[in-house]
Amino acid sequence: MVAVSEHAELWLVRHGPTEWSENGRHTSVTDLPLLPHGEELARGLAPRLTGTTFAQVLTSPRRRARRTAELAGFAHAEVDDDLVEWAYGDYEGITTPQIRETVPGWTVWTGGCPGGERPDQVGARLDRVVDRARRASGATLVFAHGHSLRVLTARWLGLPVEDGRLFRLDTATVSVLGYERESPVVLRWNS
């Protein structure tokens, strides 16, 4: 069992919009830049993040997450490979409606990704981020991706990976996870 700091909070920032995120295309290893308005939205995150002291700031290695961190005022963010997006394998660059043409009813949460990661693999690496945040001496700020942050939220709350489906997460948003007494909770979502 991980010793939990009484001040443990996990601040989540989904990267700004990219061409593929705007078109609903699954984007994992394809290293796309932010769109110009995505950069503007990333800059707009800075005032929402100031005033909080973070014990650690982490980012996915993907350029869209690192650039969002930089524009939000956290160019020093430490790269953590565990924060990469769910590896979509054969579904990289394809939309859910396109996948459902051959796999009716498919979702990433239940249908898997041929050639990509299984839900348990995604959960295992994001459990390491949860453990790291809970051991921190204060709030942790992470910059990452839609599905990975939704899994991270489910795991923070002690839920199975597939319950990440319950947390819609928009681009360039801030969400905060924390505690009410000893229970992990959502303090703020999609703001």
Coordinates of all heavy atoms in Angstrom, one line a residue, residues 62 71 111 136 151 157 179 184:
R62 N 4.9 13.1 -25.9 CA 4.4 13.5 -27.2 C 4.4 15.1 -27.3 O 4.1 15.8 -26.3 CB 3.0 13.0 -27.4 CG 2.9 11.5 -27.3 CD 3.6 10.8 -28.5 NE 3.4 9.4 -28.4 CZ 4.3 8.5 -28.1 NH1 5.6 8.9 -27.9 NH2 4.0 7.2 -28.0
L71 N 3.5 26.1 -23.1 CA 2.7 27.3 -23.3 C 1.9 27.7 -22.1 O 1.6 28.9 -21.9 CB 1.7 27.2 -24.5 CG 2.4 27.1 -25.9 CD1 1.5 26.7 -27.0 CD2 3.1 28.4 -26.2
G111 N -13.3 -3.1 -26.6 CA -13.0 -3.8 -27.8 C -11.6 -4.1 -28.1 O -11.2 -4.8 -29.0
A136 N 3.9 12.1 -3.5 CA 4.4 13.5 -3.6 C 4.1 14.3 -2.4 O 3.1 14.0 -1.7 CB 3.9 14.2 -4.8
V151 N -8.3 7.1 -18.0 CA -7.9 5.9 -17.3 C -7.2 6.3 -16.0 O -7.5 5.7 -14.9 CB -6.9 5.0 -18.1 CG1 -6.3 3.9 -17.3 CG2 -7.6 4.5 -19.4
L157 N -9.5 6.8 -8.6 CA -10.7 6.6 -7.8 C -10.9 5.1 -7.4 O -11.9 4.7 -6.8 CB -12.0 7.0 -8.7 CG -12.0 8.5 -9.0 CD1 -13.1 8.8 -9.9 CD2 -12.1 9.3 -7.7
Y179 N -8.8 14.2 -2.4 CA -9.4 13.4 -1.4 C -10.4 14.2 -0.6 O -10.3 15.4 -0.4 CB -8.3 13.0 -0.4 CG -7.5 11.9 -0.9 CD1 -6.4 12.1 -1.7 CD2 -7.8 10.5 -0.7 CE1 -5.6 11.1 -2.2 CE2 -7.1 9.5 -1.2 CZ -6.0 9.8 -1.9 OH -5.2 8.8 -2.5
P184 N -10.7 8.9 -2.3 CA -10.3 9.6 -3.5 C -11.5 10.1 -4.2 O -12.5 9.4 -4.3 CB -9.5 8.6 -4.3 CG -9.9 7.3 -3.8 CD -10.4 7.5 -2.4

